[in-house]
Amino acid sequence: MTESFPLGPLFRRWSRRLALSSDDKNAVASLEWTRRQFQRDAYLAREGEPTNICTLLIEGVAYRQKILSDGSRQIISFHIAGEFLDLQNCLLEVADHNVQALTRCNVAAVPKELLLEVMNARSAVGRAIWLDSLIDASVFREWVVNVGRRDAKQRIAHLLCELASRLKAAGLGEGPMFDFPLTQEHIGDATGLTAVHTNRTLQALRRAGLISLGASKLTVLDWDSLAQTGDFNERYLHHSV
Amino acid sequence: MTESFPLGPLFRRWSRRLALSSDDKNAVASLEWTRRQFQRDAYLAREGEPTNICTLLIEGVAYRQKILSDGSRQIISFHIAGEFLDLQNCLLEVADHNVQALTRCNVAAVPKELLLEVMNARSAVGRAIWLDSLIDASVFREWVVNVGRRDAKQRIAHLLCELASRLKAAGLGEGPMFDFPLTQEHIGDATGLTAVHTNRTLQALRRAGLISLGASKLTVLDWDSLAQTGDFNERYLHHSV
DNA sequence: CGTTAATTTGAGACCATTCAATTTCGGTGG
DNA sequence: CCACCGAAATTGAATGGTCTCAAATTAACG
């Protein structure tokens, strides 16, 4: 299914927010996409490298991160099927962060010049792609707030709410239960905490009956309490426009 | 001067990164810009409000922030003359954060639809504006890293490096000395620290001979040491493409 | 020159880190 | 199917960076 029409998740996501004609979709679909596979933990892009292509995630989970001079890592965002991993490549010549596969990843890449051409030729596509990058930025802003002003329990609750909300919007997951391949170290690196403290905080969330997490499955047992704990308001995700 | 040609700083900034024809500039300059003044601390935009216009900062310093449910504030970015404050308004219907004047601000606003039209009609303008929003996002990413993985001294050193670097690129400041209207509370809210700890950390930076700060003036006394202290690498600012 | 904002100082409490060591889990080969 | 392995999760105790809450001092402004 994803093999026969790998752009499905992208078009479904776009159509939630704006209207695209079939000509628009065809223009995107007929680009020269190059398919590639990446193993778990593999780097899809590295900071400092020149940018040539834009990458769409077809299957799997990936994340963006920066490594500091002392070796510590900060994760900047997580991405699921149907999302671009590096739209900024279109206009920036050098990558300013790393992109890494969290699970095995299946991607489709296109030369950035070709994507720019389609954006130019079909303004609806141009808007869809700009919108994607604007929503990325909105999520970054919320993450600044999350790591800047929330304590450990709030940060993790907020992150779990975001991921659950996005997975649900993408049609993934069954009810309150989601595939959840992140390790506690990923969660810690995304929230600015250590893996140890992440572990203790997750236990507190479990004890409070808010979530069940394990075996690569996340279940949100009490959405309202989890959202309240994490001070979560999904406005910044701009699920509809 | 800014009164006679208020778009000067914008065009100078754009021309550092890409080439715009005079037709491109004229198209932007002949938009129906509405000039407004805001007093210190005034809100230019509020989270939750519908978006109608895009705002260009002509003079002064402004910042974006979010207020949490417990009343604490996280500053998300600072902006100087020649920068847009809310480009995301073009495609997002509801503001997801607040914009506030740090000093008295002089702005020029334009209906978002008109800006979108120019972007569509003149692809170079479209790219300049998309590029602006992509660099905004790059700065947000770096701020996630800053508040997520650096300690107090590093965070503040990094913030001061960023501001000094951007002010210098904009042609503001004389050598290592810059107008610096931020209070310690602003610095704390931008770095995820309390004003008290910001104060103590600034004293440490002064004692170490890295900066001189006071009377609304920042002087970077030892750029290399300050940059090293803050783990600062200006790549993410994308000063040239 | 008075009044408010901003900065500075002190001491105690707390949240998160550090550094190990241990246990559990998921996958692999015998 | 069980033994084994490395990765991930868990636990403990001590340390430390940052916060909290005041109060005092200094600077900015009309």
Side-chain angles (χ1 to χ4, degrees), chain B residues 38-59:
Chain B
F38 290 90
Q39 296 306 310
R40 190 164 173 281
D41 296 337
Y43 275 76
L44 315 214
R46 283 181 192 274
E47 180 174 356
E49 285 181 345
T51 60
N52 299 304
I53 55 172
C54 285
T55 312
L56 175 67
L57 185 53
I58 303 297
E59 203 175 2

Side-chain angles (χ1 to χ4, degrees), chain B residues 147-200:
Chain B
V147 292
R149 281 295 183 221
R150 296 199 181 102
D151 66 21
K153 195 191 268 193
Q154 294 176 309
R155 288 185 209 184
I156 291 180
H158 190 280
L159 174 64
L160 297 181
C161 284
E162 174 181 315
L163 293 174
S165 177
R166 289 168 55 197
L167 287 167
K168 188 182 174 190
L172 303 171
E174 308 133 36
M177 181 165 157
F178 306 90
D179 278 324
F180 196 82
L182 314 212
T183 66
Q184 295 183 359
E185 190 158 3
H186 290 125
I187 298 175
D189 283 349
T191 51
L193 302 167
T194 59
V196 171
H197 198 57
T198 299
N199 179 279
R200 294 192 232 266

Side-chain angles (χ1 to χ4, degrees), chain A residues 141-185:
Chain A
R141 286 192 291 269
E142 184 65 27
W143 280 42
V144 172
V145 176
N146 204 38
V147 292
R149 282 293 183 224
R150 296 198 181 104
D151 67 21
K153 195 190 269 194
Q154 293 175 310
R155 287 185 210 183
I156 291 180
H158 191 279
L159 175 63
L160 298 181
C161 284
E162 173 181 316
L163 294 173
S165 177
R166 288 168 55 195
L167 287 166
K168 188 181 175 191
L172 304 171
E174 308 134 35
M177 182 164 156
F178 305 92
D179 279 324
F180 196 82
L182 314 212
T183 66
Q184 295 182 359
E185 189 157 4

Side-chain angles (χ1 to χ4, degrees), chain A:
Chain A
M1 175 57 197
T2 51
E3 201 53 47
S4 62
F5 190 47
L7 299 185
L10 172 67
F11 292 157
R12 272 195 292 281
R13 193 167 56 73
W14 277 354
S15 65
R16 291 208 314 269
R17 294 187 173 114
L18 33 78
L20 288 175
S21 69
S22 47
D23 280 353
D24 293 327
K25 292 182 189 174
N26 287 337
V28 174
S30 50
L31 282 170
E32 271 202 42
W33 295 98
T34 305
R35 299 294 295 275
R36 286 190 71 185
Q37 280 253 88
F38 290 90
Q39 296 306 310
R40 193 164 171 281
D41 297 336
Y43 276 76
L44 316 212
R46 283 183 192 272
E47 180 175 355
E49 285 182 344
T51 59
N52 299 304
I53 55 173
C54 285
T55 312
L56 175 68
L57 185 54
I58 302 297
E59 203 176 3
V61 176
Y63 59 101
R64 317 205 211 177
Q65 49 96 335
K66 287 195 183 192
I67 305 285
L68 283 78
S69 57
D70 70 348
S72 60
R73 175 177 74 169
Q74 175 66 46
I75 292 178
I76 291 160
S77 66
F78 293 105
H79 293 282
I80 61 178
E83 298 181 347
F84 281 99
L85 301 175
D86 48 14
L87 276 182
Q88 72 283 342
N89 284 3
C90 282
L91 295 184
L92 300 177
E93 298 298 335
V94 177
D96 56 55
H97 61 279
N98 305 298
V99 183
Q100 208 172 353
L102 196 147
T103 64
R104 169 174 302 164
C105 281
N106 194 323
V107 308
V110 63
K112 60 181 181 179
E113 290 79 10
L114 297 184
L115 200 55
L116 282 167
E117 278 176 26
V118 177
M119 290 178 70
N120 207 36
R122 317 212 123 257
S123 67
V125 174
R127 288 187 186 196
I129 287 178
W130 188 24
L131 178 57
D132 275 355
S133 74
L134 289 175
I135 292 171
D136 276 353
S138 175
V139 175
F140 299 148
R141 286 192 291 269
E142 184 65 27
W143 280 42
V144 172
V145 176
N146 204 38
V147 292
R149 282 293 183 224
R150 296 198 181 104
D151 67 21
K153 195 190 269 194
Q154 293 175 310
R155 287 185 210 183
I156 291 180
H158 191 279
L159 175 63
L160 298 181
C161 284
E162 173 181 316
L163 294 173
S165 177
R166 288 168 55 195
L167 287 166
K168 188 181 175 191
L172 304 171
E174 308 134 35
M177 182 164 156
F178 305 92
D179 279 324
F180 196 82
L182 314 212
T183 66
Q184 295 182 359
E185 189 157 4
H186 290 126
I187 298 174
D189 282 349
T191 51
L193 302 167
T194 59
V196 171
H197 197 56
T198 298
N199 178 280
R200 295 192 231 266
T201 306
L202 283 172
Q203 290 179 48
L205 293 175
R206 279 191 278 246
R207 254 184 277 114
L210 303 186
I211 61 165
S212 151
L213 177 57
S216 290
K217 292 279 179 189
L218 166 68
T219 306
V220 178
L221 301 174
D222 185 341
W223 172 264
D224 290 344
S225 298
L226 188 65
Q228 185 171 18
T229 299
D231 192 28
F232 180 77
N233 178 327
E234 68 181 6
R235 170 154 48 217
Y236 76 97
L237 293 175
H238 297 279
H239 277 139
S240 58
V241 195

Side-chain angles (χ1 to χ4, degrees), chain B residues 22 32 37-38 59-60 66 72 115 141 147 162 212 224:
Chain B
S22 48
E32 271 202 42
Q37 280 254 84
F38 290 90
E59 203 175 2
K66 286 196 184 190
S72 59
L115 200 55
R141 286 193 291 269
V147 292
E162 174 181 315
S212 151
D224 291 345

